[in-house]
Amino acid sequence: MRRPGYIPCELSLEAVERIPWLRRRLLSWFKRNGRSFPWRDPERTPYEVVVAEILLQRTTAAGVARTYAGFLERYPSWEALAQAPREGLENALRPLGLWRQKALAFQQLAQSIEERGGIVPRSRAELERLPGIGPYTASAVLAIV
């Protein structure tokens, strides 16, 4: 099933040949200008990456950086997140704004993943079927995990 507005395309040979050049440029730019955030650590678990991506929705990275470690300490797993009292979860999310919506999204997502045995899906289609995960978040999770 095709997403509305999705237009398939093929890259021209010229575009394909420029990919290595673009990759080098992007990596060089990031080396000079990229910011370091805890969720970019290659040792992060899929849980920690997905939590970061949900926290980053409609919130600044700087704000998430201030609350990320404490949030993970308080809710270290899908199980802890799924069983968290809504009020406590809302209080943990309050500094980021939209705490009610994020608390509900986190609980629904955690319950869905717990039903899958705690495993984060590895395909875009499966990720996008989870509550709170759209195309951007699915792409970010797949790129990092």
Side-chain angles (χ1 to χ4, degrees), residues 47 50-51 54-55 71-72 74-86 89 92-93 102-111 113-114:
Y47 169 76
V50 173
V51 164
I54 299 294
L55 290 174
F71 189 88
L72 289 178
R74 191 169 182 181
Y75 306 105
S77 66
W78 291 117
E79 182 181 11
L81 202 50
Q83 295 176 1
R86 177 87 48 87
L89 189 51
L93 296 166
K102 282 192 185 197
L104 181 60
F106 265 128
Q107 285 192 316
Q108 291 174 343
L109 177 61
Q111 289 164 357
I113 292 179
E114 278 294 292

PDB file of all heavy atoms in Angstrom, residues 47 50-51 54-55 71-72 74-86 89 92-93 102-111 113-114:
ATOM      1  N   TYR A  47      15.901   0.567  22.947  1.00  0.00           N
ATOM      2  CA  TYR A  47      14.981   1.255  23.861  1.00  0.00           C
ATOM      3  C   TYR A  47      15.417   2.704  24.066  1.00  0.00           C
ATOM      4  O   TYR A  47      14.608   3.623  23.951  1.00  0.00           O
ATOM      5  CB  TYR A  47      14.918   0.521  25.211  1.00  0.00           C
ATOM      6  CG  TYR A  47      14.196   1.305  26.276  1.00  0.00           C
ATOM      7  CD1 TYR A  47      12.811   1.399  26.269  1.00  0.00           C
ATOM      8  CD2 TYR A  47      14.893   1.964  27.288  1.00  0.00           C
ATOM      9  CE1 TYR A  47      12.130   2.133  27.234  1.00  0.00           C
ATOM     10  CE2 TYR A  47      14.230   2.700  28.255  1.00  0.00           C
ATOM     11  CZ  TYR A  47      12.846   2.780  28.219  1.00  0.00           C
ATOM     12  OH  TYR A  47      12.183   3.519  29.174  1.00  0.00           O
ATOM     13  N   VAL A  50      14.829   4.823  20.866  1.00  0.00           N
ATOM     14  CA  VAL A  50      13.420   5.118  20.614  1.00  0.00           C
ATOM     15  C   VAL A  50      12.911   6.143  21.621  1.00  0.00           C
ATOM     16  O   VAL A  50      12.205   7.088  21.251  1.00  0.00           O
ATOM     17  CB  VAL A  50      12.560   3.830  20.645  1.00  0.00           C
ATOM     18  CG1 VAL A  50      11.081   4.165  20.556  1.00  0.00           C
ATOM     19  CG2 VAL A  50      12.959   2.897  19.512  1.00  0.00           C
ATOM     20  N   VAL A  51      13.275   5.991  22.886  1.00  0.00           N
ATOM     21  CA  VAL A  51      12.869   6.972  23.904  1.00  0.00           C
ATOM     22  C   VAL A  51      13.353   8.363  23.508  1.00  0.00           C
ATOM     23  O   VAL A  51      12.599   9.336  23.549  1.00  0.00           O
ATOM     24  CB  VAL A  51      13.390   6.578  25.310  1.00  0.00           C
ATOM     25  CG1 VAL A  51      13.313   7.743  26.287  1.00  0.00           C
ATOM     26  CG2 VAL A  51      12.600   5.393  25.837  1.00  0.00           C
ATOM     27  N   ILE A  54      11.263   9.787  20.631  1.00  0.00           N
ATOM     28  CA  ILE A  54       9.928  10.224  21.071  1.00  0.00           C
ATOM     29  C   ILE A  54      10.051  11.521  21.861  1.00  0.00           C
ATOM     30  O   ILE A  54       9.272  12.454  21.679  1.00  0.00           O
ATOM     31  CB  ILE A  54       9.229   9.136  21.915  1.00  0.00           C
ATOM     32  CG1 ILE A  54       9.025   7.863  21.109  1.00  0.00           C
ATOM     33  CG2 ILE A  54       7.910   9.655  22.487  1.00  0.00           C
ATOM     34  CD1 ILE A  54       8.068   7.972  19.950  1.00  0.00           C
ATOM     35  N   LEU A  55      11.045  11.604  22.727  1.00  0.00           N
ATOM     36  CA  LEU A  55      11.245  12.833  23.499  1.00  0.00           C
ATOM     37  C   LEU A  55      11.538  14.023  22.582  1.00  0.00           C
ATOM     38  O   LEU A  55      11.136  15.152  22.862  1.00  0.00           O
ATOM     39  CB  LEU A  55      12.394  12.663  24.502  1.00  0.00           C
ATOM     40  CG  LEU A  55      12.138  11.734  25.683  1.00  0.00           C
ATOM     41  CD1 LEU A  55      13.423  11.554  26.491  1.00  0.00           C
ATOM     42  CD2 LEU A  55      11.011  12.250  26.569  1.00  0.00           C
ATOM     43  N   PHE A  71      15.312  10.591  32.868  1.00  0.00           N
ATOM     44  CA  PHE A  71      14.159   9.838  32.377  1.00  0.00           C
ATOM     45  C   PHE A  71      14.521   8.362  32.264  1.00  0.00           C
ATOM     46  O   PHE A  71      13.758   7.493  32.691  1.00  0.00           O
ATOM     47  CB  PHE A  71      13.694  10.395  31.026  1.00  0.00           C
ATOM     48  CG  PHE A  71      12.398   9.816  30.549  1.00  0.00           C
ATOM     49  CD1 PHE A  71      11.196  10.381  30.917  1.00  0.00           C
ATOM     50  CD2 PHE A  71      12.386   8.686  29.742  1.00  0.00           C
ATOM     51  CE1 PHE A  71       9.988   9.831  30.486  1.00  0.00           C
ATOM     52  CE2 PHE A  71      11.195   8.130  29.310  1.00  0.00           C
ATOM     53  CZ  PHE A  71       9.986   8.702  29.680  1.00  0.00           C
ATOM     54  N   LEU A  72      15.691   8.061  31.686  1.00  0.00           N
ATOM     55  CA  LEU A  72      16.118   6.665  31.540  1.00  0.00           C
ATOM     56  C   LEU A  72      16.370   6.006  32.892  1.00  0.00           C
ATOM     57  O   LEU A  72      16.119   4.814  33.067  1.00  0.00           O
ATOM     58  CB  LEU A  72      17.379   6.568  30.682  1.00  0.00           C
ATOM     59  CG  LEU A  72      17.208   6.858  29.201  1.00  0.00           C
ATOM     60  CD1 LEU A  72      18.555   6.775  28.491  1.00  0.00           C
ATOM     61  CD2 LEU A  72      16.196   5.927  28.555  1.00  0.00           C
ATOM     62  N   ARG A  74      14.772   6.730  35.638  1.00  0.00           N
ATOM     63  CA  ARG A  74      13.455   6.513  36.236  1.00  0.00           C
ATOM     64  C   ARG A  74      12.675   5.411  35.507  1.00  0.00           C
ATOM     65  O   ARG A  74      11.922   4.664  36.123  1.00  0.00           O
ATOM     66  CB  ARG A  74      12.681   7.823  36.193  1.00  0.00           C
ATOM     67  CG  ARG A  74      11.425   7.826  36.999  1.00  0.00           C
ATOM     68  CD  ARG A  74      10.896   9.237  37.103  1.00  0.00           C
ATOM     69  NE  ARG A  74       9.714   9.273  37.916  1.00  0.00           N
ATOM     70  CZ  ARG A  74       9.032  10.362  38.158  1.00  0.00           C
ATOM     71  NH1 ARG A  74       9.430  11.514  37.653  1.00  0.00           N
ATOM     72  NH2 ARG A  74       7.960  10.326  38.902  1.00  0.00           N
ATOM     73  N   TYR A  75      12.837   5.345  34.184  1.00  0.00           N
ATOM     74  CA  TYR A  75      12.133   4.364  33.354  1.00  0.00           C
ATOM     75  C   TYR A  75      13.161   3.622  32.495  1.00  0.00           C
ATOM     76  O   TYR A  75      13.357   3.942  31.327  1.00  0.00           O
ATOM     77  CB  TYR A  75      11.088   5.057  32.463  1.00  0.00           C
ATOM     78  CG  TYR A  75      10.136   5.912  33.261  1.00  0.00           C
ATOM     79  CD1 TYR A  75      10.244   7.294  33.265  1.00  0.00           C
ATOM     80  CD2 TYR A  75       9.136   5.324  34.040  1.00  0.00           C
ATOM     81  CE1 TYR A  75       9.382   8.072  34.014  1.00  0.00           C
ATOM     82  CE2 TYR A  75       8.274   6.100  34.798  1.00  0.00           C
ATOM     83  CZ  TYR A  75       8.403   7.475  34.775  1.00  0.00           C
ATOM     84  OH  TYR A  75       7.554   8.245  35.531  1.00  0.00           O
ATOM     85  N   PRO A  76      13.839   2.626  33.059  1.00  0.00           N
ATOM     86  CA  PRO A  76      14.961   1.971  32.356  1.00  0.00           C
ATOM     87  C   PRO A  76      14.580   0.927  31.310  1.00  0.00           C
ATOM     88  O   PRO A  76      15.464   0.394  30.643  1.00  0.00           O
ATOM     89  CB  PRO A  76      15.724   1.311  33.507  1.00  0.00           C
ATOM     90  CG  PRO A  76      14.671   1.032  34.531  1.00  0.00           C
ATOM     91  CD  PRO A  76      13.688   2.152  34.429  1.00  0.00           C
ATOM     92  N   SER A  77      13.277   0.632  31.161  1.00  0.00           N
ATOM     93  CA  SER A  77      12.886  -0.429  30.223  1.00  0.00           C
ATOM     94  C   SER A  77      11.465  -0.185  29.721  1.00  0.00           C
ATOM     95  O   SER A  77      10.724   0.624  30.275  1.00  0.00           O
ATOM     96  CB  SER A  77      12.933  -1.786  30.927  1.00  0.00           C
ATOM     97  OG  SER A  77      11.933  -1.835  31.942  1.00  0.00           O
ATOM     98  N   TRP A  78      11.113  -0.942  28.674  1.00  0.00           N
ATOM     99  CA  TRP A  78       9.733  -0.878  28.168  1.00  0.00           C
ATOM    100  C   TRP A  78       8.766  -1.282  29.260  1.00  0.00           C
ATOM    101  O   TRP A  78       7.695  -0.687  29.401  1.00  0.00           O
ATOM    102  CB  TRP A  78       9.557  -1.780  26.956  1.00  0.00           C
ATOM    103  CG  TRP A  78      10.286  -1.309  25.746  1.00  0.00           C
ATOM    104  CD1 TRP A  78      11.306  -1.950  25.096  1.00  0.00           C
ATOM    105  CD2 TRP A  78      10.071  -0.083  25.038  1.00  0.00           C
ATOM    106  NE1 TRP A  78      11.728  -1.193  24.034  1.00  0.00           N
ATOM    107  CE2 TRP A  78      10.988  -0.040  23.965  1.00  0.00           C
ATOM    108  CE3 TRP A  78       9.194   0.990  25.205  1.00  0.00           C
ATOM    109  CZ2 TRP A  78      11.052   1.009  23.072  1.00  0.00           C
ATOM    110  CZ3 TRP A  78       9.255   2.059  24.310  1.00  0.00           C
ATOM    111  CH2 TRP A  78      10.175   2.058  23.262  1.00  0.00           C
ATOM    112  N   GLU A  79       9.136  -2.292  30.028  1.00  0.00           N
ATOM    113  CA  GLU A  79       8.263  -2.768  31.103  1.00  0.00           C
ATOM    114  C   GLU A  79       8.020  -1.668  32.136  1.00  0.00           C
ATOM    115  O   GLU A  79       6.881  -1.419  32.531  1.00  0.00           O
ATOM    116  CB  GLU A  79       8.880  -3.999  31.774  1.00  0.00           C
ATOM    117  CG  GLU A  79       8.011  -4.575  32.868  1.00  0.00           C
ATOM    118  CD  GLU A  79       8.644  -5.783  33.535  1.00  0.00           C
ATOM    119  OE1 GLU A  79       9.834  -6.066  33.305  1.00  0.00           O
ATOM    120  OE2 GLU A  79       7.928  -6.442  34.297  1.00  0.00           O
ATOM    121  N   ALA A  80       9.081  -0.990  32.558  1.00  0.00           N
ATOM    122  CA  ALA A  80       8.930   0.093  33.536  1.00  0.00           C
ATOM    123  C   ALA A  80       8.061   1.214  32.977  1.00  0.00           C
ATOM    124  O   ALA A  80       7.233   1.792  33.689  1.00  0.00           O
ATOM    125  CB  ALA A  80      10.304   0.633  33.934  1.00  0.00           C
ATOM    126  N   LEU A  81       8.235   1.507  31.723  1.00  0.00           N
ATOM    127  CA  LEU A  81       7.457   2.569  31.077  1.00  0.00           C
ATOM    128  C   LEU A  81       5.991   2.158  30.935  1.00  0.00           C
ATOM    129  O   LEU A  81       5.088   2.954  31.195  1.00  0.00           O
ATOM    130  CB  LEU A  81       8.071   2.860  29.706  1.00  0.00           C
ATOM    131  CG  LEU A  81       7.804   4.193  29.053  1.00  0.00           C
ATOM    132  CD1 LEU A  81       8.060   5.358  29.974  1.00  0.00           C
ATOM    133  CD2 LEU A  81       8.653   4.326  27.799  1.00  0.00           C
ATOM    134  N   ALA A  82       5.745   0.913  30.562  1.00  0.00           N
ATOM    135  CA  ALA A  82       4.372   0.427  30.391  1.00  0.00           C
ATOM    136  C   ALA A  82       3.613   0.407  31.716  1.00  0.00           C
ATOM    137  O   ALA A  82       2.403   0.628  31.740  1.00  0.00           O
ATOM    138  CB  ALA A  82       4.388  -0.968  29.771  1.00  0.00           C
ATOM    139  N   GLN A  83       4.329   0.149  32.812  1.00  0.00           N
ATOM    140  CA  GLN A  83       3.682   0.043  34.114  1.00  0.00           C
ATOM    141  C   GLN A  83       3.706   1.344  34.909  1.00  0.00           C
ATOM    142  O   GLN A  83       3.164   1.397  36.004  1.00  0.00           O
ATOM    143  CB  GLN A  83       4.353  -1.067  34.921  1.00  0.00           C
ATOM    144  CG  GLN A  83       4.155  -2.435  34.302  1.00  0.00           C
ATOM    145  CD  GLN A  83       4.901  -3.524  35.045  1.00  0.00           C
ATOM    146  OE1 GLN A  83       5.565  -3.279  36.046  1.00  0.00           O
ATOM    147  NE2 GLN A  83       4.787  -4.747  34.564  1.00  0.00           N
ATOM    148  N   ALA A  84       4.312   2.373  34.358  1.00  0.00           N
ATOM    149  CA  ALA A  84       4.440   3.639  35.084  1.00  0.00           C
ATOM    150  C   ALA A  84       3.080   4.276  35.320  1.00  0.00           C
ATOM    151  O   ALA A  84       2.247   4.318  34.410  1.00  0.00           O
ATOM    152  CB  ALA A  84       5.320   4.611  34.303  1.00  0.00           C
ATOM    153  N   PRO A  85       2.842   4.788  36.522  1.00  0.00           N
ATOM    154  CA  PRO A  85       1.612   5.544  36.750  1.00  0.00           C
ATOM    155  C   PRO A  85       1.623   6.786  35.855  1.00  0.00           C
ATOM    156  O   PRO A  85       2.654   7.448  35.714  1.00  0.00           O
ATOM    157  CB  PRO A  85       1.683   5.939  38.229  1.00  0.00           C
ATOM    158  CG  PRO A  85       2.724   5.047  38.829  1.00  0.00           C
ATOM    159  CD  PRO A  85       3.654   4.659  37.725  1.00  0.00           C
ATOM    160  N   ARG A  86       0.517   7.068  35.214  1.00  0.00           N
ATOM    161  CA  ARG A  86       0.432   8.184  34.264  1.00  0.00           C
ATOM    162  C   ARG A  86       0.880   9.496  34.902  1.00  0.00           C
ATOM    163  O   ARG A  86       1.588  10.274  34.290  1.00  0.00           O
ATOM    164  CB  ARG A  86      -0.995   8.300  33.736  1.00  0.00           C
ATOM    165  CG  ARG A  86      -1.241   9.470  32.802  1.00  0.00           C
ATOM    166  CD  ARG A  86      -0.957   9.203  31.343  1.00  0.00           C
ATOM    167  NE  ARG A  86      -1.507   8.003  30.818  1.00  0.00           N
ATOM    168  CZ  ARG A  86      -2.727   7.861  30.309  1.00  0.00           C
ATOM    169  NH1 ARG A  86      -3.533   8.869  30.246  1.00  0.00           N
ATOM    170  NH2 ARG A  86      -3.131   6.703  29.857  1.00  0.00           N
ATOM    171  N   LEU A  89       4.650   9.752  35.109  1.00  0.00           N
ATOM    172  CA  LEU A  89       5.197   9.910  33.764  1.00  0.00           C
ATOM    173  C   LEU A  89       4.968  11.337  33.267  1.00  0.00           C
ATOM    174  O   LEU A  89       5.876  11.952  32.707  1.00  0.00           O
ATOM    175  CB  LEU A  89       4.556   8.885  32.825  1.00  0.00           C
ATOM    176  CG  LEU A  89       5.124   8.730  31.433  1.00  0.00           C
ATOM    177  CD1 LEU A  89       6.630   8.519  31.456  1.00  0.00           C
ATOM    178  CD2 LEU A  89       4.435   7.578  30.724  1.00  0.00           C
ATOM    179  N   ALA A  92       7.462  13.624  34.886  1.00  0.00           N
ATOM    180  CA  ALA A  92       8.810  13.479  34.317  1.00  0.00           C
ATOM    181  C   ALA A  92       8.922  14.202  32.975  1.00  0.00           C
ATOM    182  O   ALA A  92       9.996  14.684  32.613  1.00  0.00           O
ATOM    183  CB  ALA A  92       9.157  12.005  34.158  1.00  0.00           C
ATOM    184  N   LEU A  93       7.808  14.274  32.253  1.00  0.00           N
ATOM    185  CA  LEU A  93       7.802  14.885  30.919  1.00  0.00           C
ATOM    186  C   LEU A  93       7.451  16.375  30.936  1.00  0.00           C
ATOM    187  O   LEU A  93       7.632  17.062  29.928  1.00  0.00           O
ATOM    188  CB  LEU A  93       6.818  14.140  30.014  1.00  0.00           C
ATOM    189  CG  LEU A  93       7.184  12.690  29.727  1.00  0.00           C
ATOM    190  CD1 LEU A  93       6.002  11.947  29.126  1.00  0.00           C
ATOM    191  CD2 LEU A  93       8.393  12.627  28.821  1.00  0.00           C
ATOM    192  N   LYS A 102       2.595  13.130  25.444  1.00  0.00           N
ATOM    193  CA  LYS A 102       3.785  12.263  25.414  1.00  0.00           C
ATOM    194  C   LYS A 102       3.650  11.111  26.393  1.00  0.00           C
ATOM    195  O   LYS A 102       4.077   9.997  26.106  1.00  0.00           O
ATOM    196  CB  LYS A 102       5.048  13.067  25.706  1.00  0.00           C
ATOM    197  CG  LYS A 102       5.499  13.860  24.510  1.00  0.00           C
ATOM    198  CD  LYS A 102       6.880  14.412  24.689  1.00  0.00           C
ATOM    199  CE  LYS A 102       7.174  15.287  23.475  1.00  0.00           C
ATOM    200  NZ  LYS A 102       8.542  15.576  23.290  1.00  0.00           N
ATOM    201  N   ALA A 103       3.060  11.360  27.550  1.00  0.00           N
ATOM    202  CA  ALA A 103       2.876  10.292  28.532  1.00  0.00           C
ATOM    203  C   ALA A 103       1.986   9.202  27.944  1.00  0.00           C
ATOM    204  O   ALA A 103       2.307   8.008  28.033  1.00  0.00           O
ATOM    205  CB  ALA A 103       2.280  10.847  29.825  1.00  0.00           C
ATOM    206  N   LEU A 104       0.892   9.606  27.325  1.00  0.00           N
ATOM    207  CA  LEU A 104      -0.013   8.641  26.711  1.00  0.00           C
ATOM    208  C   LEU A 104       0.687   7.895  25.570  1.00  0.00           C
ATOM    209  O   LEU A 104       0.597   6.667  25.466  1.00  0.00           O
ATOM    210  CB  LEU A 104      -1.260   9.349  26.190  1.00  0.00           C
ATOM    211  CG  LEU A 104      -2.316   8.463  25.535  1.00  0.00           C
ATOM    212  CD1 LEU A 104      -2.829   7.412  26.509  1.00  0.00           C
ATOM    213  CD2 LEU A 104      -3.461   9.322  25.024  1.00  0.00           C
ATOM    214  N   ALA A 105       1.408   8.634  24.729  1.00  0.00           N
ATOM    215  CA  ALA A 105       2.134   8.010  23.606  1.00  0.00           C
ATOM    216  C   ALA A 105       3.160   7.006  24.113  1.00  0.00           C
ATOM    217  O   ALA A 105       3.277   5.893  23.578  1.00  0.00           O
ATOM    218  CB  ALA A 105       2.808   9.078  22.751  1.00  0.00           C
ATOM    219  N   PHE A 106       3.911   7.379  25.156  1.00  0.00           N
ATOM    220  CA  PHE A 106       4.919   6.473  25.711  1.00  0.00           C
ATOM    221  C   PHE A 106       4.269   5.206  26.260  1.00  0.00           C
ATOM    222  O   PHE A 106       4.759   4.099  26.033  1.00  0.00           O
ATOM    223  CB  PHE A 106       5.730   7.149  26.821  1.00  0.00           C
ATOM    224  CG  PHE A 106       7.013   7.753  26.349  1.00  0.00           C
ATOM    225  CD1 PHE A 106       7.308   9.074  26.637  1.00  0.00           C
ATOM    226  CD2 PHE A 106       7.944   7.025  25.643  1.00  0.00           C
ATOM    227  CE1 PHE A 106       8.495   9.643  26.209  1.00  0.00           C
ATOM    228  CE2 PHE A 106       9.140   7.574  25.219  1.00  0.00           C
ATOM    229  CZ  PHE A 106       9.407   8.890  25.508  1.00  0.00           C
ATOM    230  N   GLN A 107       3.174   5.361  26.979  1.00  0.00           N
ATOM    231  CA  GLN A 107       2.538   4.179  27.559  1.00  0.00           C
ATOM    232  C   GLN A 107       1.978   3.258  26.479  1.00  0.00           C
ATOM    233  O   GLN A 107       2.151   2.045  26.552  1.00  0.00           O
ATOM    234  CB  GLN A 107       1.454   4.588  28.549  1.00  0.00           C
ATOM    235  CG  GLN A 107       2.064   5.090  29.846  1.00  0.00           C
ATOM    236  CD  GLN A 107       1.057   5.237  30.945  1.00  0.00           C
ATOM    237  OE1 GLN A 107      -0.033   5.745  30.724  1.00  0.00           O
ATOM    238  NE2 GLN A 107       1.421   4.785  32.130  1.00  0.00           N
ATOM    239  N   GLN A 108       1.345   3.827  25.473  1.00  0.00           N
ATOM    240  CA  GLN A 108       0.807   3.001  24.389  1.00  0.00           C
ATOM    241  C   GLN A 108       1.925   2.298  23.626  1.00  0.00           C
ATOM    242  O   GLN A 108       1.821   1.113  23.296  1.00  0.00           O
ATOM    243  CB  GLN A 108      -0.035   3.852  23.437  1.00  0.00           C
ATOM    244  CG  GLN A 108      -1.323   4.324  24.054  1.00  0.00           C
ATOM    245  CD  GLN A 108      -2.079   5.294  23.152  1.00  0.00           C
ATOM    246  OE1 GLN A 108      -1.517   5.861  22.209  1.00  0.00           O
ATOM    247  NE2 GLN A 108      -3.352   5.497  23.440  1.00  0.00           N
ATOM    248  N   LEU A 109       3.001   3.034  23.351  1.00  0.00           N
ATOM    249  CA  LEU A 109       4.137   2.449  22.646  1.00  0.00           C
ATOM    250  C   LEU A 109       4.783   1.345  23.479  1.00  0.00           C
ATOM    251  O   LEU A 109       5.063   0.255  22.981  1.00  0.00           O
ATOM    252  CB  LEU A 109       5.162   3.532  22.313  1.00  0.00           C
ATOM    253  CG  LEU A 109       6.449   3.072  21.640  1.00  0.00           C
ATOM    254  CD1 LEU A 109       6.147   2.413  20.298  1.00  0.00           C
ATOM    255  CD2 LEU A 109       7.381   4.260  21.445  1.00  0.00           C
ATOM    256  N   ALA A 110       5.004   1.616  24.761  1.00  0.00           N
ATOM    257  CA  ALA A 110       5.630   0.623  25.635  1.00  0.00           C
ATOM    258  C   ALA A 110       4.776  -0.638  25.728  1.00  0.00           C
ATOM    259  O   ALA A 110       5.306  -1.753  25.665  1.00  0.00           O
ATOM    260  CB  ALA A 110       5.858   1.230  27.022  1.00  0.00           C
ATOM    261  N   GLN A 111       3.471  -0.480  25.847  1.00  0.00           N
ATOM    262  CA  GLN A 111       2.587  -1.645  25.916  1.00  0.00           C
ATOM    263  C   GLN A 111       2.639  -2.437  24.615  1.00  0.00           C
ATOM    264  O   GLN A 111       2.672  -3.675  24.643  1.00  0.00           O
ATOM    265  CB  GLN A 111       1.166  -1.200  26.254  1.00  0.00           C
ATOM    266  CG  GLN A 111       1.046  -0.720  27.686  1.00  0.00           C
ATOM    267  CD  GLN A 111      -0.221   0.078  27.970  1.00  0.00           C
ATOM    268  OE1 GLN A 111      -1.019   0.340  27.077  1.00  0.00           O
ATOM    269  NE2 GLN A 111      -0.375   0.482  29.213  1.00  0.00           N
ATOM    270  N   ILE A 113       5.149  -2.621  22.479  1.00  0.00           N
ATOM    271  CA  ILE A 113       6.440  -3.307  22.370  1.00  0.00           C
ATOM    272  C   ILE A 113       6.527  -4.451  23.376  1.00  0.00           C
ATOM    273  O   ILE A 113       7.069  -5.512  23.062  1.00  0.00           O
ATOM    274  CB  ILE A 113       7.607  -2.310  22.488  1.00  0.00           C
ATOM    275  CG1 ILE A 113       7.609  -1.413  21.244  1.00  0.00           C
ATOM    276  CG2 ILE A 113       8.942  -3.037  22.655  1.00  0.00           C
ATOM    277  CD1 ILE A 113       8.672  -0.367  21.195  1.00  0.00           C
ATOM    278  N   GLU A 114       5.962  -4.268  24.563  1.00  0.00           N
ATOM    279  CA  GLU A 114       5.931  -5.357  25.540  1.00  0.00           C
ATOM    280  C   GLU A 114       5.151  -6.547  24.980  1.00  0.00           C
ATOM    281  O   GLU A 114       5.534  -7.691  25.187  1.00  0.00           O
ATOM    282  CB  GLU A 114       5.304  -4.876  26.855  1.00  0.00           C
ATOM    283  CG  GLU A 114       6.275  -4.147  27.755  1.00  0.00           C
ATOM    284  CD  GLU A 114       7.373  -5.059  28.255  1.00  0.00           C
ATOM    285  OE1 GLU A 114       7.103  -5.974  29.049  1.00  0.00           O
ATOM    286  OE2 GLU A 114       8.535  -4.857  27.828  1.00  0.00           O
TER     287      GLU A 114
END
